[in-house]
Amino acid sequence: MSAHRDPIAEDVLLVPEVSSPYEGLRLTIPDHIRLSAYWFATNFLWGALLVIMLPGEMKHMVPSDRVAAIGLLGGLAALVALVVPLIVGELSDRCASRYGRRRPFIVAGVAINLIGLVLMCLVFTTSKPLGPSGNPHFWATVGFLLSSPDFLKFLGAYIVVQLGNNIASAAYSGIIPDLVPKDQRGIASGYMAL
């Protein structure tokens, strides 16, 4: 009889055990607020970025083609948001850093995010508005946008923001299971949702 290997059981063994620093304690309201602070910040960022800033900046950069520009920015950034969390989630689950399993990814992601925001600001302040593409077809407009150095710089900076935010958010998604005792996870999720 040959030994049967269970790849799922082997995979679970690669995930280091994490003990909660709050085990046996009742989390206070300030504890819950601290644990939820990143979630508030990232939702504030995306609320301002997607609803206010991007439309305003595209109105300045490409006034006649701003809808196509926003669609292109959103579509390409969505690819980053689709792939990065899958990779970072897996890596942060197996991280055995002395700073914790999630913290190195959250810190690196926030730093990358901030760099991207600064780059977006620099591109925006130095960009000149583009004239109309002159073509009503979407793909011709996309080609026109991708031929603009200012738009490409802005797109690159926006992708850096997406990359950083998705690195940090993917790791942050494991905070409650890692830190909050099982009997308090529901209330911690409620604070985060609030």
Side-chain angles (χ1 to χ4, degrees):
M1 211 172 192
S2 65
H4 173 69
R5 287 183 49 219
D6 185 359
I8 295 173
E10 289 175 14
D11 191 40
V12 170
L13 294 176
L14 296 175
V15 178
E17 188 66 34
V18 175
S19 59
S20 170
Y22 300 105
E23 202 60 54
L25 301 173
R26 198 92 199 136
L27 273 77
T28 64
I29 291 173
D31 292 332
H32 285 292
I33 290 170
R34 278 192 298 276
L35 287 172
S36 299
Y38 173 82
W39 197 242
F40 173 79
T42 195
N43 281 290
F44 185 84
L45 168 79
W46 288 111
L49 201 66
L50 296 175
V51 177
I52 299 166
M53 202 235 4
L54 277 181
E57 293 198 11
M58 289 305 102
K59 187 175 182 180
H60 166 78
M61 288 180 80
V62 284
S64 61
D65 296 313
R66 68 181 178 270
V67 173
I70 291 170
L72 184 60
L73 286 168
L76 293 174
L79 294 174
V80 173
L82 181 70
V83 174
V84 171
L86 297 173
I87 296 167
V88 173
E90 186 80 15
L91 292 173
S92 71
D93 283 347
R94 285 152 178 74
C95 180
S97 167
R98 66 183 176 143
Y99 300 109
R101 176 189 302 207
R102 312 291 178 192
R103 189 174 293 141
F105 293 94
I106 295 171
V107 169
V110 168
I112 293 167
N113 191 341
L114 290 172
I115 290 167
L117 289 170
V118 168
L119 292 173
M120 284 175 70
C121 178
L122 292 173
V123 171
F124 178 73
T125 56
T126 61
S127 69
K128 295 180 180 113
L130 287 172
S133 65
N135 196 322
H137 299 294
F138 177 75
W139 291 111
T141 303
V142 168
F144 170 73
L145 292 170
L146 293 177
S147 68
S148 162
D150 285 341
F151 183 80
L152 285 175
K153 289 176 197 172
F154 189 84
L155 173 63
Y158 184 62
I159 295 295
V160 170
V161 169
Q162 273 286 353
L163 176 69
N165 192 268
N166 279 283
I167 289 170
S169 294
Y172 179 76
S173 296
I175 287 290
I176 288 179
D178 281 0
L179 297 180
V180 179
K182 288 181 183 178
D183 64 332
Q184 298 174 63
R185 289 181 184 167
I187 194 165
S189 295
Y191 273 97
M192 192 178 291
L194 176 67

